Amino acid sequence: RLQGYTEDEYFTASDLNVYYDPDNRLWHKRPDWFLAVGVPFLSAGGDMRLSYVTWQEAVNPFVVVELISPGTEAEDLGETTAEPEAPPPKWVVYEQILQVPYYVVFNRYTDELRVFKLAAGHYQEQSLPDNRLWIPELDIGLGLWYGTYAEGTHRQTERQWLRWYDADGQWLMTDAELARQRTEAERQRAEAERQRAEAERQRAEAERQRAEAEQQKALAEQRRANDAEVQLATLKAKLRAQGIDPNGLLE
């Protein structure tokens, strides 16, 4: 999620072939990760890209990230030269052919982060206070963050990771964190709805109990009235049996 850009305005990929020479169309590099600004996430035909062909896209990557391994370290850091008739090494492709503005190299084995910025046609290594680099052209920063990140479905790894941050220095949320945030928000929404439904059920139950109490009260009143009438009728009958007019006595 690049700040200030929609998904139709940038493209990112991992381990995707980048073809860079129209005269040698099979020559390519395969960055561990790269960002191109000014191209949509999907190809012009609306499909997922199977490769990135620079002369068709007309936009070169803006940031390239390589994760150093013992077998690629020399080429990643520009310490190799091309053999005759062979494709040029990464450093030459990124610096001189594609002229990628920012080249990021991270050594997973030593947790060393190095960033090179293109200036006057050549890469210059940047100072990284707190292992962070701010990229003003994109209004975003890249740095090292220590924490636990899920790789795949099950594996959790605690270590140093490359991570983006915003203008306030706050780390941007990963897709996994955003998914957890959405899940938690949905859980809280469902819980609030459950509590609302429970409160409504309790209110309805209280109303039912109140109505039932009112009904029982009315029945009790009716029973008392009936009992009083029966008692009065019994009393009148006894008085008549004694030759007394009850109507005169009870007026």
Side-chain angles (χ1 to χ4, degrees):
R1 304 167 313 284
L2 189 59
Q3 303 298 296
Y5 295 84
T6 68
E7 289 188 354
D8 290 332
E9 296 174 323
Y10 69 96
F11 173 73
T12 64
S14 299
D15 295 321
L16 189 73
N17 287 353
V18 176
Y19 293 89
Y20 56 86
D21 189 345
D23 296 325
N24 296 278
R25 293 178 173 245
L26 296 182
W27 287 7
H28 66 275
K29 296 303 175 187
R30 194 178 180 88
D32 288 306
W33 185 90
F34 73 91
L35 160 70
V37 179
V39 292
F41 181 73
L42 298 177
S43 68
D47 299 322
M48 297 290 291
R49 290 178 177 83
L50 300 179
S51 62
Y52 192 87
V53 183
T54 57
W55 61 87
Q56 293 178 353
E57 302 286 354
V59 175
N60 291 341
F62 196 87
V63 179
V64 165
V65 176
E66 292 287 2
L67 305 178
I68 285 182
S69 63
T72 65
E73 181 173 4
E75 184 180 0
D76 289 338
L77 296 176
E79 298 171 356
T80 59
T81 57
E83 297 294 331
E85 305 302 321
K90 292 178 185 178
W91 187 279
V92 173
V93 172
Y94 298 154
E95 178 191 61
Q96 300 177 21
I97 299 176
L98 294 179
Q99 297 184 331
V100 177
Y102 289 90
Y103 177 41
V104 179
V105 180
F106 178 53
N107 190 324
R108 295 168 290 176
Y109 305 98
T110 63
D111 290 333
E112 181 184 17
L113 174 64
R114 301 176 69 181
V115 179
F116 302 88
K117 182 179 180 180
L118 194 68
H122 297 282
Y123 278 140
Q124 294 183 3
E125 187 163 5
Q126 303 298 292
S127 174
L128 302 177
D130 299 322
N131 279 318
R132 290 190 177 200
L133 175 79
W134 182 251
I135 304 177
E137 298 93 332
L138 302 178
D139 195 28
I140 200 171
L142 181 66
L144 289 184
W145 166 79
Y146 187 86
T148 301
Y149 179 72
E151 294 181 287
T153 305
H154 304 292
R155 186 179 175 188
Q156 300 273 338
T157 303
E158 184 176 1
R159 54 157 301 141
Q160 294 278 4
W161 299 93
L162 286 175
R163 188 163 183 173
W164 299 101
Y165 63 91
D166 62 19
D168 296 323
Q170 300 300 310
W171 299 111
L172 299 181
M173 298 184 73
T174 66
D175 290 340
E177 289 169 340
L178 284 171
R180 286 196 297 270
Q181 184 184 64
R182 286 192 294 269
T183 299
E184 177 61 17
E186 179 61 24
R187 186 197 66 77
Q188 292 179 358
R189 188 201 64 78
E191 176 62 17
E193 180 63 23
R194 186 196 67 78
Q195 291 179 357
R196 188 200 64 78
E198 176 62 17
E200 180 63 23
R201 186 195 67 78
Q202 291 178 357
R203 188 199 64 78
E205 176 63 17
E207 181 63 23
R208 185 193 66 77
Q209 291 177 357
R210 186 197 64 79
E212 183 176 340
E214 287 293 329
Q215 183 182 34
Q216 291 176 351
K217 178 181 177 182
L219 290 175
E221 290 291 337
Q222 184 62 45
R223 283 195 295 269
R224 283 195 294 270
N226 292 341
D227 290 344
E229 288 184 4
V230 170
Q231 291 174 2
L232 180 59
T234 302
L235 178 58
K236 286 182 177 182
K238 289 181 177 179
L239 291 172
R240 289 191 185 96
Q242 296 174 12
I244 302 172
D245 183 4
N247 294 325
L249 291 175
L250 298 175
E251 286 181 354

